[in-house]
Amino acid sequence: MSEEVPSSESKNDNTSQDYDEEEWMKELQKVPLLMTEQPDEIDPETSPALAALQALKYENDEDPPEVKAVNYKDDGNFHFKRKRYHQAIAAYTEGIKQNCGDNDLNAQLYNNRGAAQSYLGNNRSALNDATEAKKLSPTYIKAFIRESDNKKLKELKLKAVKNQKVNARNHRKENLLSKKEETSIRNLMQALKEREVTLDGLKSYSDIETMSIKDVKALLTPPDPMGASAMVYLNEEMVIHWPILFIYPEHGQTDFIKSANENDRFMDHLIVMFDDNEAPPWDKENKYKLKNLEIYFEDKDSTQLHRIHLHQTLKEILTDKRFCVKYGIPSFILLVTESRRILTTSFSILLV
Amino acid sequence: MESQIKEIAQFLTLQTRPDIKLPAIEFIAGLTGSSETNTLIARNTTIIDAAVNLTKDEIENVADAAYITLINVTGDDHAANYLCKKDYVQSLLLYALKKTAKYADKACMILCNLTRLSQGCDTTMEILQSQDGRKIFNQLLDAFFCSGYNKHATYHHVAAILANVTQVQAARRWILDKDKLIIQKCLPYTQYYDNAIRRRGLIAVIKNCCFESDCNEWLLGEEIDILPHLLLPLAGPEELKQEETDRLPLDLQYLGEDKVREPEADLRIMLIESLMQLCATKPCRMYIREKMAYAILRELHQWDKNEDVLSTCEKLIQILIGDEPEAGMEDLRNVTVPDNYSITDKSEAIVKK
C-alpha cells in the first residue's frame, strides 16, 4: 500500500509528494478559516494558527482569570445550545482551569459541564461535576439536579421498571409452565398405573408420591438424541402416545417412531414401513416383507424373547407383565422367518 | 323523646361534673346509633354544637362519645349541611393533621361525611385553595401515604375524603399534577386488599381523574401506565390464548391459577367505568384495544354474576370491539345524544356514611 507507486496524476506532485486526498483534507482542517469542525483540544504543534487565534481571545494576559473564565463559559454555552456537547465540555474545562476566585462562576462551569456530560450519557462524570458544583455553591445546584432527574434518571427508572416487569412476567410464566408440566406428568403416571405398565427403575407406583417431578420425568425421558421432545404423553382423550423403537438385529438397524398411539396395532405401522414396492435400503436380499415379519419383545431380565402377533395393539403388549419399558422407549425386535435360525445360533437368546 | 333530649342537652358542657356528662353524651351517642333517633338529633343544633364542644373534653370517654355522635349525625344531610361551616371544617382539617391528634381518624370520618355533600365539598375546596390550603392538602397526602405519620391514627378515611373532593375539578388537577405525580402513588391502591376503605376511596379518585380527558393520554403513557392497574383487579386465573397473552400489558401476562378478582362488585364497576372514560378519545381507545383489554373483560363477563357489573362490562366491550364511530364523532364525549337515548351519567363519587 504505502510503497511508492508511480502516480498517473502527476499534477499533485508539486503540492506534496505523498498526500492523498484524505490527508490533504486533514491538512486543510488545520487552517482556521477552512475548518468545518472545532477540535476538542488545540495543540499548538499541529495547528499553530488556531492556537494563535485562541491566544488572541483567551490568553490576553491583561485579562483577569475571571474574565477569561466567563469567556470560556460563554463559549461553552454557545456549543451547548447547539448540542455540541463535546466542545462545550472542552470550553468549560478551560474555564475551570482558569482557577478564578469566583465560586459562583466556578460552580456554574462545573454545573454546565455536568449537564453536557449527562446529555452524552456520562452519568458518573455528570455526577462528579454536580458534586463539585454543589461544594462550591450549595444553593445553585437545584436546576441541574432537576435537569438530570427529569431526563436521564426518568429514562433509567422507566427502563428499570420495565425490566422488573419482564422478570416478574417470566417468573410467573415459568411457574405456570412447570405447574402444568407437573400436572401432566402426574396424570400420565396415573394412566400408566391404571394400565400396570412396568417401568425400568420403578419398583412400585406408590413410590411416585415421594419422588420429585424431575426424577419421575427422568424415568420416562428417552435418552438423547431423541430426548424430552419424544417423551411419552397422555392426550386429552386419555390416550397414551409412545415413542417406539424397532430393532433389526440381523442388520444392526433401527426404526424410530416418535409418537405411536397405544391403540395402534403393530400391523398398522409395519404396513407403512414395509411397502412391497420399496424395500429398506439395508435389506439387500429383499427378505423383509410384511408376510415374513416376526416381532418379539424382550422380557424384563433380557433373558427371553416373546413373540408378538401383528394384530396385537401396543397397549396389549405394554400391559403384559413380562414387558418392561426401558429408557422411556418401548422397543421391539423385528426378524424375518429365515433369520430366526441364524439368530438362535449367533445370539444365545432363547426364542419362545 | 324530644323533651328528654332537651333536658339532657343542658348537661353537655365542658364544665359539667364528669359523672353526669359522661352518661349524658354516651346516651346521645347511643341515640345516633339508630337511624330514627339519629334524624331527631340531626335536627337539634343545640346538641350538635354541644357535641362539637365536647370533642375537646379532657375525659377520653367523653370526647370519644362526642366524636361518635358527630360521625353518626353527619350521616344525615341536615346535620352535615349545618356543620359545613368554613371555620369548623378548617379546624377539623388542622386537628386531623396534628401528629399527636388522638382522634384524627374520627375527625377524618366526619370530614368524609361532610364532603359527600356538594356544599361540604365546596367549603373544603375553598379552604384548600386558600393561601395555606395547598400546604394542608399536601400534609393530608403525607398523612395518608406515609405510615406512621401519627401513631394514633390510620388515615384510611382520607381516601374517601379525596374521593369526594375530586368531584371538584381543581382537586382532580392537583392529583394529576405532572410534577408531583400524586396519581402514581394512588394507582397501586387498586389492588390494596388489606384495607377496603383505602382501596374503594382511591379507585373512586382514579375514576374521577379519568374524566379529565386531556390527561388520558398521559395516564396511559409509560410514565404513569394506568392500564395494568385498572385491568389487574378485573383479571382472573383463566388461561388466555397465546396471541392474547402476548398483547396484554406485561403485568397481566401469565397470572396463574391463584389470581383473584376484586371482590366488591361496585368497585369492579368503577374500574370498568374508568376504562370507559379512557376510551373516550380515539388514540386512547386504540391503545386499550391494542393491549387486548377485551380478553380480560370477556373472561370477567363469563365469571361475574352481578347484573350491574355485567351490563357495565357489556357497554365497554361494545366500545372495544364495535366499529369505530364515523368521522367527527371520534371523541365520544362531544357526541350529542338525542334526549330519548340519554342517561344522565355524572361523575359520582362514593358516599361513605
Side-chain angles (χ1 to χ4, degrees):
Chain A
M1 270 293 285
S2 60
E3 272 174 13
E4 297 255 344
V5 178
S7 168
S8 57
E9 293 167 315
S10 51
K11 282 173 205 165
N12 281 354
D13 287 0
N14 51 356
T15 43
S16 165
Q17 286 176 341
D18 300 331
Y19 279 6
D20 58 14
E21 200 187 5
E22 212 176 310
E23 262 180 275
W24 196 61
M25 287 304 286
K26 263 189 205 164
E27 200 59 28
L28 273 184
Q29 282 290 325
K30 289 180 190 164
V31 181
L33 185 66
L34 301 173
M35 278 181 173
T36 52
E37 275 180 311
Q38 187 178 345
D40 290 341
E41 245 179 299
I42 300 155
D43 183 1
E45 287 287 298
T46 54
S47 50
L50 194 66
L53 274 176
Q54 171 119 8
L56 270 183
K57 187 174 180 191
Y58 295 109
E59 281 169 30
N60 188 347
D61 285 338
E62 281 159 36
D63 279 346
E66 275 85 347
V67 175
K68 284 190 213 161
V70 169
N71 280 342
Y72 280 117
K73 193 189 90 179
D74 291 344
D75 239 25
N77 290 354
F78 176 84
H79 290 302
F80 189 97
K81 275 184 200 142
R82 281 158 187 74
K83 300 191 175 156
R84 300 198 291 248
Y85 301 116
H86 286 290
Q87 287 145 25
I89 289 168
Y92 292 133
T93 310
E94 286 301 316
I96 291 166
K97 276 189 200 158
Q98 298 306 314
N99 243 335
C100 76
D102 185 347
N103 271 352
D104 282 345
L105 180 59
N106 283 334
Q108 281 175 28
L109 284 163
Y110 274 112
N111 171 51
N112 292 1
R113 189 172 74 175
Q117 297 279 23
S118 99
Y119 272 98
L120 292 173
N122 302 333
N123 288 333
R124 190 179 293 274
S125 309
L127 186 67
N128 290 343
D129 279 353
T131 323
E132 197 61 41
K134 199 167 145 192
K135 260 190 229 158
L136 289 165
S137 172
T139 50
Y140 174 66
I141 198 63
K142 269 188 180 167
F144 171 63
I145 289 175
R146 242 177 87 139
E147 185 71 17
S148 75
D149 219 28
N150 283 351
K151 297 237 163 60
K152 295 283 165 189
L153 291 183
K154 208 180 257 181
E155 274 169 35
L156 211 62
K157 193 182 156 194
L158 283 177
K159 217 167 137 189
V161 167
K162 192 167 174 204
N163 283 342
Q164 200 182 14
K165 283 183 177 181
V166 170
N167 284 343
R169 193 268 320 260
N170 293 345
H171 187 69
R172 285 198 302 270
K173 188 176 174 181
E174 264 169 40
N175 271 350
L176 212 64
L177 290 180
S178 69
K179 251 186 208 166
K180 255 193 196 165
E181 190 186 18
E182 186 168 343
T183 356
S184 78
I185 287 185
R186 295 266 174 225
N187 288 342
L188 174 66
M189 287 317 268
Q190 185 59 35
L192 292 176
K193 187 182 173 186
E194 283 161 14
R195 289 163 177 73
E196 295 181 323
V197 175
T198 317
L199 297 178
D200 190 28
L202 183 73
K203 281 197 190 103
S204 152
Y205 275 94
S206 57
D207 293 350
I208 289 176
E209 313 299 323
T210 56
M211 281 166 75
S212 77
I213 262 310
K214 208 177 138 204
D215 291 343
V216 177
K217 205 180 153 191
L219 280 178
L220 294 167
T221 311
D224 291 332
M226 288 79 104
S229 69
M231 202 176 103
V232 52
Y233 69 92
L234 183 71
N235 75 359
E236 280 135 24
E237 282 96 45
M238 305 306 280
V239 178
I240 300 182
H241 289 249
W242 289 94
I244 52 178
L245 192 68
F246 290 113
I247 302 167
Y248 311 98
E250 201 182 355
H251 292 277
Q253 296 287 339
T254 56
D255 263 325
F256 179 64
I257 296 175
K258 198 171 169 188
S259 164
N261 188 315
E262 61 176 341
N263 297 322
D264 286 351
R265 293 172 305 169
F266 281 87
M267 190 140 62
D268 299 330
H269 289 285
L270 296 178
I271 215 162
V272 184
M273 290 155 62
F274 295 94
D275 191 335
D276 274 348
N277 302 323
E278 206 183 329
W282 41 261
D283 183 21
K284 297 279 185 316
E285 297 160 54
N286 212 1
K287 289 189 298 188
Y288 282 74
K289 298 287 173 207
L290 192 59
K291 59 180 194 311
N292 300 334
L293 290 174
E294 286 176 12
I295 315 179
Y296 297 89
F297 69 84
E298 250 179 357
D299 67 12
K300 264 179 253 181
D301 315 312
S302 310
T303 50
Q304 282 193 329
L305 288 182
H306 303 277
R307 179 84 185 256
I308 298 168
H309 295 288
L310 290 184
H311 57 79
Q312 282 185 297
T313 64
L314 192 53
K315 193 174 176 181
E316 276 172 61
I317 303 305
L318 284 164
T319 50
D320 190 312
K321 292 233 165 13
R322 296 167 300 179
F323 193 88
C324 177
V325 180
K326 288 177 180 169
Y327 305 112
I329 313 175
S331 39
F332 305 97
I333 292 169
L334 257 146
L335 301 168
V336 280
T337 324
E338 295 100 282
S339 54
R340 186 144 51 133
R341 254 168 288 125
I342 310 163
L343 268 177
T344 35
T345 50
S346 58
F347 297 86
S348 54
I349 297 171
L350 189 63
L351 293 172
V352 178
Chain B
M1 177 64 90
E2 268 180 83
S3 60
Q4 270 176 297
I5 293 173
K6 212 174 262 173
E7 205 177 317
I8 289 170
Q10 58 177 315
F11 302 120
L12 301 176
T13 65
L14 291 171
Q15 289 77 33
T16 316
R17 276 168 41 199
D19 59 333
I20 295 174
K21 71 179 165 188
L22 181 61
I25 187 68
E26 279 183 340
F27 175 69
I28 297 290
L31 285 182
T32 58
S34 83
S35 60
E36 260 172 68
T37 40
N38 191 29
T39 15
L40 218 60
I41 309 265
R43 266 149 239 278
N44 190 327
T45 52
T46 338
I47 299 269
I48 296 175
D49 287 338
V52 169
N53 238 338
L54 284 183
T55 55
K56 300 185 196 80
D57 202 286
E58 281 172 4
I59 302 163
E60 224 170 87
N61 291 349
V62 174
D64 206 47
Y67 269 112
I68 288 170
T69 308
L70 288 172
I71 291 166
N72 286 338
V73 98
T74 47
D76 185 290
D77 291 2
H78 199 273
N81 272 324
Y82 173 71
L83 281 175
C84 277
K85 288 169 290 194
K86 198 175 164 187
D87 289 348
Y88 182 60
V89 175
Q90 183 147 19
S91 69
L92 269 181
L93 273 171
L94 292 177
Y95 173 74
L97 291 172
K98 266 196 217 157
K99 295 196 176 187
T100 51
K102 258 196 173 152
Y103 304 102
D105 272 344
K106 293 200 162 77
C108 286
M109 286 185 207
I110 300 174
L111 276 168
C112 159
N113 272 347
L114 296 180
T115 49
R116 90 197 140 81
L117 300 175
S118 65
Q119 198 197 332
C121 215
D122 293 342
T123 315
T124 312
M125 280 313 288
E126 196 186 317
I127 294 163
L128 294 180
Q129 281 174 298
S130 67
Q131 213 179 0
D132 293 332
R134 258 329 261 283
K135 220 176 106 196
I136 298 179
F137 184 70
N138 289 337
Q139 235 180 320
L140 200 63
L141 292 176
D142 274 354
F144 179 68
F145 286 118
C146 313
S147 63
Y149 177 88
N150 170 349
K151 66 175 181 201
H152 303 292
T154 62
Y155 291 100
H156 293 329
H157 286 86
V158 173
I161 301 173
L162 290 175
N164 288 342
V165 295
T166 47
Q167 291 176 96
V168 178
Q169 194 188 29
R172 293 202 288 272
R173 303 309 299 199
W174 288 349
I175 303 280
L176 292 169
D177 189 311
K178 290 186 186 173
D179 285 326
K180 296 236 164 56
L181 298 176
I182 298 165
I183 187 79
Q184 211 175 34
K185 289 187 195 162
C186 297
L187 290 174
Y189 282 95
T190 61
Q191 295 210 85
Y192 190 73
Y193 296 109
D194 292 351
N195 186 287
I197 303 166
R198 282 186 175 237
R199 190 168 85 247
R200 174 180 299 271
L202 285 182
I203 290 179
V205 168
I206 292 164
K207 181 192 150 188
N208 286 345
C209 287
C210 287
F211 278 77
E212 294 299 302
S213 49
D214 61 321
C215 291
N216 284 0
E217 275 183 62
W218 174 70
L219 284 175
L220 287 168
E222 61 175 357
E223 188 180 11
I224 304 298
D225 202 16
I226 191 173
L227 192 60
H229 294 284
L230 295 176
L231 286 177
L232 256 176
L234 299 174
E238 298 86 4
E239 201 182 326
L240 299 171
K241 279 188 222 134
Q242 188 62 46
E243 62 264 33
E244 289 175 335
T245 301
D246 291 343
R247 275 170 65 183
L248 285 172
L250 286 171
D251 286 337
L252 278 113
Q253 297 181 3
Y254 305 104
L255 290 177
E257 54 201 9
D258 46 359
K259 176 71 181 72
V260 285
R261 291 189 166 87
E262 166 59 55
E264 310 267 348
D266 58 333
L267 297 191
R268 291 199 296 277
I269 292 178
M270 276 203 275
L271 289 164
I272 302 172
E273 284 173 340
S274 309
L275 286 166
M276 208 130 67
Q277 283 307 319
L278 292 173
C279 278
T281 54
K282 189 167 180 183
C284 296
R285 198 156 57 230
M286 299 309 268
Y287 176 79
I288 293 171
R289 240 177 242 176
E290 170 60 35
K291 289 288 172 193
M292 210 60 215
Y294 165 68
I296 303 293
L297 290 157
R298 183 193 58 210
E299 297 302 321
L300 173 72
H301 194 272
Q302 291 250 318
W303 168 89
D304 217 304
K305 303 275 182 293
N306 183 295
E307 291 288 323
D308 297 330
V309 178
L310 289 177
S311 72
T312 322
C313 193
E314 279 157 26
K315 276 188 228 161
L316 179 56
I317 288 179
Q318 287 252 315
I319 297 174
L320 288 177
I321 61 172
D323 294 331
E324 265 300 293
E326 47 197 279
M329 307 265 248
E330 284 105 339
D331 190 337
L332 301 181
R333 250 168 302 202
N334 296 339
V335 178
T336 36
V337 181
D339 284 344
N340 51 335
Y341 291 120
S342 74
I343 306 159
T344 38
D345 182 25
K346 275 198 293 183
S347 158
E348 285 173 324
I350 47 138
V351 174
K352 164 77 185 71
K353 283 203 177 180

